[in-house]
Amino acid sequence: MATTATGRTAAGAGRTTALGPWGGFLLRRLVGLAAVAITLVVGTFLMVQLIPGDPARVVAGADATPADVERARHELGLDQPLSAQFGTYASGLLRGDLGTSFQTKEPVAEIIGSRLPFTAEIAFLSVLAVLLLAVPIGLAVAARGSRRTDGAFTFVTGLVGATPEYIIGTLLVLGFAIRLGWLPAAGAETVTSMVLPIAALVLPGTCVMARIVRSEAAHVLAQDYMRTARGRRLPPLRLYARHALPNLLTATLTLGGLILAGLLGGTVVVEAVFAWPGIGQRVVEALLVRDHTVIQGCVLVLGLLAALLNLLVDVVLALLDPRTLAGKGGH
């Protein structure tokens, strides 16, 4: 038995060596991504089964007879066993077919294709804004080292970071759209229409991320090499940008990747609040009419986008810290 285990270990090590550090790293991440995709497929299918109500009755109409409802259920394939329904769903996915909307009869892939650019737009800009704001804010608070500043920072970031996006979005609409009239409250007609949705995502995300950055920065600034760098009286910009930031980013991105991926989940609520025509708003619309195929397709795409964002963070971490290529780091 020991010889067999040793042989398998040696074979695995040989394959990893043959692939090279980056090949092995990418293979592990792609296998993980495939596992996430399979989990999402099964999870989204089972999730929609728990939604109360009968889609066939919604499709048949309020005045439909029981025979009409049964006919609609048969046309939708809902009269088949659950295993058969999943087999049809999974085989369609393998062919690139996400199904057809129960309500509008449109291909779900076309619905997502028309909505995805709107979601990608605010999600990408939100992630970028969170990174550009959270890192310097957290680093500045840690560098200042003031108890009063640290207390105020902890209170404000804790309060805003724990506030749901829909509450922040509602307050932003009341303040900047209704009371001040500076920005549109809903829609996507102009460039300014995306300001409030992005702000609703960025504010809590920045606060949570800045707390992580502040904690990691305090640890980095207490290291001996940072005290040595301060003793050389380097300019602040060079001191923090050259010596603190590289060591700070690795640990920050490890945890921050999960937060940034969570922003995609927040877009579902934010898009509904601001009537932003993205995937999130379409999910809410589909939930109201129990359009299972649209819900499955949209949630699956959002989940895969979050997984791809985590993969991207892993690659960035590997570039910053090559030790993660050996599988001893990263998240």
Side-chain angles (χ1 to χ4, degrees), residues 64-90:
T65 63
D68 293 332
V69 174
E70 285 302 319
R71 189 179 304 109
R73 184 175 290 110
H74 176 72
E75 291 174 355
L76 298 175
L78 299 177
D79 57 344
Q80 299 179 7
L82 201 61
S83 58
Q85 293 183 44
F86 178 76
T88 302
Y89 171 57

Side-chain angles (χ1 to χ4, degrees), residues 14-308:
R15 284 193 295 270
T16 302
T17 303
L19 290 171
W22 271 103
F25 169 80
L26 292 175
L27 178 62
R28 290 192 300 272
R29 294 301 182 269
L30 290 175
V31 169
L33 183 62
V36 169
I38 293 172
T39 303
L40 282 171
V41 170
V42 177
T44 52
F45 176 80
L46 295 177
M47 176 191 68
V48 298
Q49 308 305 319
L50 301 177
I51 299 175
D54 187 357
R57 182 166 295 280
V58 176
V59 171
D63 300 327
T65 63
D68 293 332
V69 174
E70 285 302 319
R71 189 179 304 109
R73 184 175 290 110
H74 176 72
E75 291 174 355
L76 298 175
L78 299 177
D79 57 344
Q80 299 179 7
L82 201 61
S83 58
Q85 293 183 44
F86 178 76
T88 302
Y89 171 57
S91 62
L93 290 179
L94 293 175
R95 298 191 306 271
D97 182 9
L98 295 176
T100 303
S101 168
F102 289 172
Q103 183 189 26
T104 65
K105 306 304 180 183
E106 295 177 86
V108 175
E110 291 184 8
I111 295 174
I112 294 175
S114 64
R115 301 276 186 146
L116 183 58
F118 291 95
T119 296
E121 190 174 33
I122 64 170
F124 173 77
L125 292 175
S126 297
V127 168
L128 184 62
V130 167
L131 289 174
L132 292 178
L133 291 172
V135 173
I137 290 173
L139 183 57
V141 171
R144 184 173 178 82
S146 168
R147 183 173 298 179
R148 180 177 299 179
T149 301
D150 192 62
F153 169 81
T154 301
F155 173 77
V156 172
T157 55
L159 178 63
V160 178
T163 305
E165 289 92 346
Y166 72 90
I167 294 180
I168 294 177
T170 302
L171 293 175
L172 290 173
V173 169
L174 291 174
F176 293 96
I178 296 177
R179 186 171 183 82
L180 298 175
W182 292 351
L183 297 165
E189 287 75 19
T190 64
V191 176
T192 56
S193 299
M194 70 175 67
V195 173
L196 292 183
I198 290 175
L201 289 169
V202 168
L203 285 174
T206 297
C207 288
V208 175
M209 186 80 165
R211 288 169 70 95
I212 295 175
V213 173
R214 184 258 165 213
S215 177
E216 293 297 331
H219 175 73
V220 169
L221 295 177
Q223 300 300 310
D224 290 339
Y225 69 88
M226 286 301 301
R227 286 195 287 268
T228 302
R230 285 197 199 93
R232 295 166 57 187
R233 299 189 179 279
L234 297 176
L237 182 61
R238 183 180 177 187
L239 174 67
Y240 296 119
R242 182 173 180 179
H243 295 277
L245 194 58
N247 295 284
L248 172 65
L249 284 179
T250 301
T252 299
L253 285 176
T254 301
L255 298 174
L258 301 176
I259 296 172
L260 297 177
L263 286 176
L264 286 173
T267 60
V268 174
V269 176
V270 168
E271 287 180 0
V273 170
F274 293 97
W276 186 260
I279 293 179
Q281 187 194 37
R282 191 66 183 87
V283 169
V284 175
E285 294 171 355
L287 283 169
L288 294 176
V289 296
R290 302 170 183 86
D291 198 338
H292 287 185
T293 52
V294 173
I295 297 170
Q296 288 172 171
C298 291
V299 173
L300 179 62
V301 168
L302 287 173
L304 288 176
L305 287 175
L308 287 172

